[in-house]
Amino acid sequence: MQFSDTFIEASQSMGANRLRTGLTMLGMIIGVASVVLMLAIGQGAQALVTESIASMGSNLFIVLSGTSTAGGVRMGGGTVPTLTYKDTMAIGELESIAAVAPMLPNSAPMVYGANNWTTQVVGTTSEYFDVRDWQPSLGVVFTPTDLRSVNRVVLLGKTVVSHLFGDEDPIGKTLRIKNNPFTVVGVLSSKGQSLDGRDQDDTALIPFTTAQRKVFGNQFPGMVRYAMVKAASAEVMPAAEAQMNDLLRQRHRIRAGMDDDFSIRNLTALAQTAQGATKAMSMMLGAIAGVSLLVGGIGIMNIMLVSVTERTREIGIRMAIGARTFDILAQFLLEALMISLSGSLLGVILGVTIAWLVATTIGMNVVVTLTSIFLAFGVAAAVGIFFGFYPARKAAALRPIEALRYQ
Amino acid sequence: MSDILIQAASLTKDYALDEGDIVRVLHGLDFTIEAGEFLAIMGPSGSGKSTLMNLLGCLDTPSGGHYFIKGEDTAEMTPDQLASLRSRQIGFVFQGFNLLPRKSLIDNVALPLVYSGVPRLDRARIARAILHEVGLGDRLRHRPGQLSGGQQQRVAIARALVNKPSLILADEPTGNLDTKTSEDILALFDRLHRQGLTIILVTHEADVARHADKILYLIDGRIDRIQVNAHAIQ
Ligand SMILES: Nc1ncnc2c1ncn2[C@@H]1O[C@H](COP(=O)(O)OP(=O)(O)OP(=O)(O)O)[C@@H](O)[C@H]1O
Ligand SMILES: [Mg+2]
């Protein structure tokens, strides 16, 4: 029996029971579509996390001031100012530390012409750009001179620029932050979303000294909200953490047995945790989708078994007029394979379409890769062969007379 | 005319019943059939005629004894060798036609050619020619369900002939047909017989059995006698 004959026989029997074939195919379609979609969502989330981690900068710590116990209530980090500008400078002296940036963030309205926009204005030093591996795409960063002279200069994030300036070139323009005139010296390159989903480009950077003395005023002179610290390398991260801890306890005169009045967080470790979590999530999504693919496969097996039983007599007739075991096996196996392959083709189309809809309508980050399509397709074909084989073999193993006698 | 086509040696068939009992339906049959012979098998209902035909057609395997075709023991053949025997040597006409209801007449008749590896274009030509021969050349695209019993019987015969077998096995081919249709079908068998085919048919009717060279009487699974018809002696 030639392949084309087997193909015709299989298509005819698929066509003879269109509704049933369609329903079986539906199981496969849903299975494959969900695998494609879930992989797309999982990979989208992973891509997002990887991107934000890369944008965060590497080997990072964040040192927060004040987690002391006040009247038995443990306060959140950064609530009680205990960390000084001088502390951050001392941290910068440590051998294991590459750069330190003191941070004084505050929400403030900014006005340019008729436009206004409220954003997070951060007072920091020029080391911040090294800590975050963040360079301006236009203009320059501020200099130690700007800090010493308490200059009113500002670097803007992309989002702020687009809200205040539109298409206008902001460099050299003057805008007002809390009614203080500032000159725009640079525009930061785009960083996109942070791990916690904030827009990192919605920010403005001003010299630390200017922030302290001219913009925010200061109830606690010389204090910083937190500091961002970059270790010299990934290997020295544990040593750097211990050294900072010792240094700050010593500077803050904390006796042995007393609680720290600061806290150090390893952002790189947090990032790794986040990465691990998204990976686990996308694997779980894939597994759930895989289960539905399996259910689709069992549906095929079920239908093929019914089909074999229903057509036992026909199998007997075919054998009586010369069909070999292989001819019968091939016919039923091909039928199962055709159902699963056409089902998975439609499933891939459906899955990609839904992924596209999800991306365009709710803006979820999805990544459809060729690998995931081939994976879904390959698994579906394997499922078709695997679940088609048993009924096909059952049909082929019948003795002609038994099949003919079947009522 | 002395080539032995079929030889049965102590051929037995047992059936296992649901209750676990075993009934012996054929009790050690010995006979030979020569190539080109026309044999009729007669006997009361339940005597084992269909059982014997199924063995001769290689649709079933004997419980004991041996069945040789052209000197080869069928017991030593693999399922695929038996399939190829059914495909190329044997044409089986079933008591209940056994046509595939969803296929057209021409597709039904061409199906054995599919399994014997004949190219598609030749298949249609051969099947058409044979359907013409049995007088159904104008109904190629009909389904079996659209035909009368006699017409379906002729389609079944056409299908049995399509691979040019050397042996035709027909289980009551005229069982439920009127006299006129029976005569037509028997005329067809006579013609095939003259062309040199070996024919074995089962019948209840003496009129039908008269067409054969020999009549084998089967009673309770044993050969009662083999009678040679007068016209075959000359
Ligand atoms: N599959 C089977 N299982 C058990 N017994 C069977 C089976 N097939 C046939 N028999 C028994 O074997 C005996 C012979 O049956 P068979 O069909 O060969 O008779 P027959 O001579 O063809 O009868 P008829 O003229 O009515 O067609 C019967 O007694 C029948 O009950
Ligand atoms: Mg019978």
Side-chain angles (χ1 to χ4, degrees):
Chain A
M1 196 178 190
Q2 292 156 344
F3 177 75
S4 59
D5 294 315
T6 315
F7 181 80
I8 289 169
E9 292 290 346
S11 345
Q12 277 174 354
S13 89
M14 274 169 73
N17 261 308
R18 282 202 198 87
L19 179 64
R20 205 168 65 181
T21 308
L23 287 174
T24 315
M25 229 182 251
L26 193 63
M28 224 52 215
I29 293 173
I30 292 172
V32 171
S34 56
V35 168
V36 169
L37 185 64
M38 292 303 153
L39 287 180
I41 290 174
Q43 281 176 331
Q46 270 180 289
L48 207 61
V49 167
T50 311
E51 203 179 287
S52 350
I53 287 172
S55 74
M56 191 176 75
S58 50
N59 311 331
L60 282 191
F61 288 106
I62 185 161
V63 182
L64 288 158
S65 85
T67 43
S68 63
T69 328
V73 182
R74 203 174 175 85
M75 311 290 276
T79 45
V80 178
T82 54
L83 198 65
T84 65
Y85 181 74
K86 290 208 176 80
D87 286 337
T88 66
M89 291 303 109
I91 289 173
E93 300 294 304
L94 289 171
E95 211 176 292
S96 54
I97 303 301
V100 182
M103 303 289 280
L104 207 56
N106 235 317
S107 178
M110 304 172 78
V111 182
Y112 175 74
N115 302 329
N116 65 79
W117 182 249
T118 300
T119 189
Q120 185 88 337
V121 176
V122 183
T124 186
T125 65
S126 51
E127 283 201 41
Y128 180 72
F129 304 100
D130 299 328
V131 171
R132 296 287 315 268
D133 299 320
W134 202 358
Q135 294 307 318
S137 61
L138 281 176
V140 292
V141 301
F142 40 75
T143 59
T145 317
D146 289 325
L147 269 113
R148 246 180 281 115
S149 319
V150 200
N151 286 339
R152 291 192 177 98
V153 290
V154 63
L155 275 103
L156 301 177
K158 278 269 155 60
T159 307
V160 178
V161 171
S162 72
H163 279 104
L164 288 181
F165 292 92
D167 293 333
E168 214 178 314
D169 178 8
I171 304 292
K173 301 278 158 48
T174 303
L175 52 70
R176 289 177 169 274
I177 302 174
K178 275 195 162 177
N179 281 328
N180 295 290
F182 273 79
T183 306
V184 180
V185 293
V187 175
L188 293 160
S189 57
S190 180
K191 281 263 189 197
Q193 262 186 27
S194 70
L195 264 183
D196 52 14
R198 277 180 305 108
D199 176 9
Q200 299 184 88
D201 298 325
D202 189 7
T203 191
L205 302 177
I206 60 176
F208 181 77
T209 48
T210 316
Q212 233 182 3
R213 295 182 213 162
K214 303 233 165 109
V215 188
F216 304 138
N218 208 339
Q219 327 149 245
F220 309 104
M223 296 295 171
V224 303
R225 184 75 56 80
Y226 64 99
M228 292 196 77
V229 181
K230 185 187 186 68
S233 69
E235 291 75 49
V236 299
M237 297 264 317
E241 183 164 357
Q243 286 169 11
M244 281 192 286
N245 200 57
D246 290 347
L247 180 77
L248 289 176
R249 284 183 73 92
Q250 195 190 332
R251 287 181 63 90
H252 293 188
R253 299 193 172 80
I254 299 167
R255 274 173 281 124
M258 302 260 296
D259 282 345
D260 294 341
D261 62 354
F262 58 88
S263 63
I264 300 173
R265 289 187 199 153
N266 185 334
L267 284 188
T268 306
L270 281 177
Q272 277 163 357
T273 312
Q275 208 160 23
T278 36
K279 197 167 179 183
M281 180 196 81
S282 62
M283 272 165 69
M284 203 179 72
L285 289 179
I288 292 172
V291 168
S292 63
L293 197 58
L294 195 73
V295 172
I298 292 172
I300 289 189
M301 174 141 122
N302 192 9
I303 292 300
M304 294 311 293
L305 278 173
V306 170
S307 181
V308 165
T309 312
E310 236 180 42
R311 288 156 64 193
T312 304
R313 221 178 141 72
E314 177 195 324
I315 294 168
I317 296 172
R318 286 174 184 273
M319 286 177 155
I321 60 174
R324 277 160 306 170
T325 316
F326 179 79
D327 297 326
I328 303 290
L329 186 78
Q331 183 186 334
F332 282 89
L333 202 53
L334 189 67
E335 190 178 330
L337 198 60
M338 278 163 64
I339 292 178
S340 69
L341 280 187
S342 37
S344 28
L345 190 70
L346 293 175
V348 164
I349 294 172
L350 184 70
V352 171
T353 311
I354 295 178
W356 178 79
L357 280 177
V358 163
T360 50
T361 54
I362 57 173
M364 191 185 251
N365 199 49
V366 296
V367 178
V368 179
T369 62
L370 221 54
T371 324
S372 68
I373 288 177
F374 281 128
L375 185 78
F377 217 83
V379 169
V383 162
I385 294 178
F386 184 78
F387 288 109
F389 188 76
Y390 173 71
R393 214 200 43 184
K394 195 178 165 216
L398 288 171
R399 282 199 298 142
I401 193 68
E402 287 167 359
L404 279 169
R405 276 207 198 102
Y406 187 84
Q407 294 305 321
Chain B
M1 279 269 297
S2 59
D3 277 352
I4 290 176
L5 180 67
I6 280 175
Q7 186 187 356
S10 338
L11 207 56
T12 62
K13 183 66 191 177
D14 301 329
Y15 284 119
L17 300 178
D18 289 340
E19 306 89 67
D21 298 344
I22 290 177
V23 286
R24 175 149 294 190
V25 177
L26 296 178
H27 299 262
L29 306 187
D30 289 286
F31 61 92
T32 58
I33 297 167
E34 289 170 5
E37 215 168 13
F38 188 166
L39 179 81
I41 299 176
M42 294 188 79
S45 183
S47 57
K49 302 183 297 293
S50 294
T51 305
L52 177 58
M53 289 297 264
N54 290 335
L55 291 180
L56 297 181
C58 297
L59 298 175
D60 206 355
T61 45
S63 315
H66 291 275
Y67 169 41
F68 301 90
I69 293 183
K70 288 186 172 168
E72 287 193 58
D73 191 349
T74 54
E76 281 163 17
M77 294 186 185
T78 64
D80 278 357
Q81 283 172 319
L82 290 172
S84 128
L85 206 59
R86 288 193 294 268
S87 169
R88 286 156 210 278
Q89 304 283 346
I90 301 171
F92 207 106
V93 184
F94 295 95
Q95 201 164 357
F97 319 133
N98 273 343
L99 299 171
L100 296 183
R102 269 204 278 269
K103 286 189 183 294
S104 64
L105 299 194
I106 188 160
D107 284 347
N108 260 292
V109 172
L111 198 57
L113 298 170
V114 171
Y115 293 117
S116 61
V118 175
R120 189 182 318 262
L121 287 176
D122 297 341
R123 292 200 303 246
R125 188 175 45 75
I126 298 170
R128 206 177 296 126
I130 291 213
L131 277 167
H132 271 289
E133 216 174 302
V134 297
L136 289 167
D138 53 341
R139 324 204 64 165
L140 301 178
R141 301 280 154 213
H142 285 112
R143 301 282 172 98
Q146 297 167 312
L147 301 184
S148 72
Q151 288 168 325
Q152 290 190 50
Q153 187 66 281
R154 279 186 273 162
V155 177
I157 294 172
R159 186 179 64 185
L161 292 176
V162 78
N163 263 324
K164 299 203 185 318
S166 43
L167 174 63
I168 297 281
L169 298 168
D171 196 352
E172 302 202 37
T174 59
N176 29 25
L177 302 182
D178 63 78
T179 329
K180 168 76 180 66
T181 322
S182 299
E183 286 301 329
D184 287 351
I185 284 175
L186 284 168
L188 182 62
F189 278 121
D190 281 337
R191 200 162 76 234
L192 294 168
H193 179 217
R194 278 196 299 276
Q195 286 166 14
L197 265 75
T198 312
I199 297 169
I200 302 175
L201 65 75
V202 170
T203 184
H204 282 294
E205 298 161 72
D207 283 351
V208 174
R210 245 199 319 275
H211 287 257
D213 302 328
K214 284 185 194 169
I215 303 171
L216 186 153
Y217 289 93
L218 204 59
I219 294 174
D220 287 339
R222 292 190 171 81
I223 297 176
D224 184 62
R225 63 200 149 97
I226 298 179
Q227 174 195 313
V228 181
N229 273 336
H231 67 84
I233 297 174
Q234 297 117 37

